[in-house]
Amino acid sequence: MHEALPAILFSFPVRLVRAQSDSLENARLLRSRQGLPFFFQKIKAGKNLTIGYLGGSITEAGKGWREQSVQGLQKRYPKAQFSGINAGVGGTGSDLGVFRVQPQILDQKPDLVFVEFAVNDNGKKPEQIYRAMEGIVRKIWRQNPQIDICFVYTITADLAPYFQRGKLPPSALAMEQIAEHYGVPSVCMGLKVAALAKEGTLLFKGKREEHPDKIVFSADNVHPYAETGHALYAEALDEALQQLSSQQSTLKAHLLPKPYVADHWEAARMVPFEQLKRQGNWQVLTPETDTVARLMKNRFTRLLKSTQPGDYLEVRMKGQACGLYDVMGPGCGQYVLELDSDYQQKIDRFDAYCTYYRSNFFVLPIDPQKEHTFRFRVSGEKLDKAKILKARNETIDEPRRYEENACYAGQLLLVGELIP
């Protein structure tokens, strides 16, 4: 039996955290480190540049800091041409980002990659953040050591007290360990926001029209208004980039040093569901033929779906972790994850936010020294959806939308190698 396996998904073994440098704990607008030498060299040459933005909903937002920063660069450097890659996925952190960076960023050959996960990684163990963030850096530079990288740290009302004390929140501090190890510059985009809130000139939450004498950051303490919170992020980034542009950096390829943690997730990748063994009545859905697939077309080109208890997807592999990038929503039910026929774990694909469909994922860390067989089996257990929704004062408005207990699959998430 796998007695050492975690009882809860995403629970990782505890390790001693390295002694933290006082300088890394302090929140600064910019730590320039190795800078962005290749990016600014290409700007001076008037080339076309592609910028990748890897992050959560704060990065995904339309008219936000992502789009504003591209527009700002274009205005400041009119002889070059800038375009952006939107690889923001709401509600996800670096632990999914490390799987997404190849297909959603690197396949489009970026010149610079911004990584924004400090908010969504809040509350995660440093060890988990190290694995994922180091994996992101190593994947980028393994493919092309002339791609520049920059970590950026955003803010929420809950994280503001750290910045107001001049300190970084734990998630950003964990990321700083990786940034320091690899020489990656970092920008604290939320620092000015916290300072304005401390002064009393900024409110984190409210309706802008109700507070004409204040800067209202957001409607929910997290997701900024484009005209205020996102504009402050863009201004902070612009200031940091101007400092970096004046830095005398050597055009030297970003070499990969000895890893910061031995169990980093550089090997993380997404595998098409066609490589999974299917047992039962799994349907292949496309945006042209299915409503859910159409709703999720910005995440998946195709989806697998089954509503039949006992149907399963199977994969044999060796490595550090395995899971699924899938869908949660009104018509979803529950997976039973089976590992090597002697370990089972229920994975609910319905929660209190499931009044709409959204992408989600789950990953299970495993013994990397052994070969494993994973089965993702459709559960026959019916969830009490009304009770689950009640936790957020939501109700079942259209019962037909909630009748199914389906399981979906978009991509296999793998840290390791498949075994034929």
Side-chain angles (χ1 to χ4, degrees), residues 82-102:
F82 299 89
S83 61
I85 304 167
N86 183 2
V89 175
T92 67
S94 61
D95 46 5
L96 180 62
V98 69
F99 293 95
R100 297 193 293 112
V101 67
Q102 180 68 52

Side-chain angles (χ1 to χ4, degrees), residues 283-297 302-305 327 357 404 408:
Q283 306 170 58
V284 178
L285 310 178
T286 67
E288 294 76 25
T289 61
D290 180 77
T291 301
V292 173
R294 187 157 52 251
L295 290 170
M296 304 305 302
K297 66 180 181 180
R302 298 193 301 166
L303 286 169
L304 282 180
K305 174 188 177 183
V327 174
Y357 286 94
E404 284 191 332
Y408 292 84

Side-chain angles (χ1 to χ4, degrees), residues 19 41 70 80 103 131 134 183 208 218 245 248 258 268 277 301 341:
Q41 187 271 338
V70 173
R131 290 187 183 98
E134 180 163 27
R208 296 175 60 206
S218 72
S245 71
Q248 298 298 317
K258 181 179 179 180
K277 176 184 175 182
T301 56
S341 301

